[in-house]
């Protein structure tokens, strides 16, 4: 039998497990408003950055085009957001939160933030989030 050596901890495994747990906990909270985590990503992005072109929402949420279209369709169907033609480029569609969407954000933001804080309990949360943010940025030349 070949000799095995202990492997270093895997970043891929750790991040996958962490994402599963964060998604589960945040999903429990967003479900109280009938939203999944993908819908929450869009609501949160629009609440923080204002109306967005679909292309900007793809970049800001990291959802792919087809998933984002499905999410926006669902949020529009429940009155949480609306679409409008971009006045400077009629080929583009902009998405904005409705009053209902802003109210949902107001109700969910603090509980989601609390859950995220509990997940990072005992860690330097701003440092952890900043490190993960750096990992999520494209690397030049790579």
């Amino acid at each position: 039998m070949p000799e095995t050596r202990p492997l270093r901890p895997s970043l891929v495994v750790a991040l996958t497990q962490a994402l599963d747990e964060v998604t589960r906990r945040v999903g429990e909270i967003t479900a109280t408003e009938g939203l999944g985590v993908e819908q929450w990503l869009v609501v949160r992005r629009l609440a923080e950055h204002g109306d967005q072109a679909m292309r900007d929402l793809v970049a800001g949420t990291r959802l792919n085009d087809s998933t984002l279209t499905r999410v926006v369709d669902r949020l529009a169907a429940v009155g949480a957001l609306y679409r409008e033609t971009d006045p400077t480029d009629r080929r583009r569609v902009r998405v904005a939160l409705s009053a209902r969407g802003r109210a949902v954000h107001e109700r969910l933001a603090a509980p989601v933030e609390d859950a995220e804080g509990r997940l990072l309990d005992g860690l330097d949360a701003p440092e952890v989030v900043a490190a993960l943010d750096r990992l999520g940025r494209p690397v030049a030349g790579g």
Side-chain angles (χ1 to χ4, degrees):
M1 179 172 234
E3 187 176 322
T4 61
R5 63 181 175 86
L7 297 174
R8 291 188 311 232
S10 168
L11 179 61
V12 171
V13 171
L15 287 174
T16 300
Q17 291 170 342
L19 179 60
D20 287 347
E21 187 60 16
V22 170
T23 300
R24 184 186 69 76
R25 291 194 195 185
V26 171
E28 289 173 355
I29 296 164
T30 61
T32 65
E33 293 284 342
L35 300 182
V37 173
E38 292 170 337
Q39 286 90 18
W40 171 246
L41 291 172
V42 172
V43 167
R44 183 177 186 273
R45 177 78 184 180
L46 292 171
E48 291 181 356
H49 298 278
D51 67 313
Q52 304 261 294
M54 290 289 282
R55 173 186 62 208
D56 297 329
L57 274 175
V58 166
T61 62
R62 295 290 181 103
L63 298 174
N64 66 47
D65 290 330
S66 60
T67 299
L68 181 63
T69 298
R70 183 175 40 81
V71 167
V72 167
D73 287 348
R74 182 179 181 293
L75 289 169
V78 299
L81 58 74
Y82 58 92
R83 296 178 184 97
E84 58 188 6
T85 303
D86 188 324
T88 61
D89 183 349
R90 299 195 50 78
R91 296 169 296 178
R92 289 178 31 170
V93 173
R94 297 190 69 78
V95 180
L97 281 181
S98 65
R100 175 178 283 174
R102 285 189 298 277
V104 167
H105 179 265
E106 286 294 320
R107 288 190 298 270
L108 291 177
V112 167
E113 189 175 307
D114 290 344
E116 291 172 348
R118 284 191 305 276
L119 284 161
L120 295 173
D121 190 36
L123 302 173
D124 182 347
E127 188 175 309
V128 170
V129 172
L132 292 171
D133 186 54
R134 284 191 306 274
L135 284 174
R137 291 188 200 136
V139 177

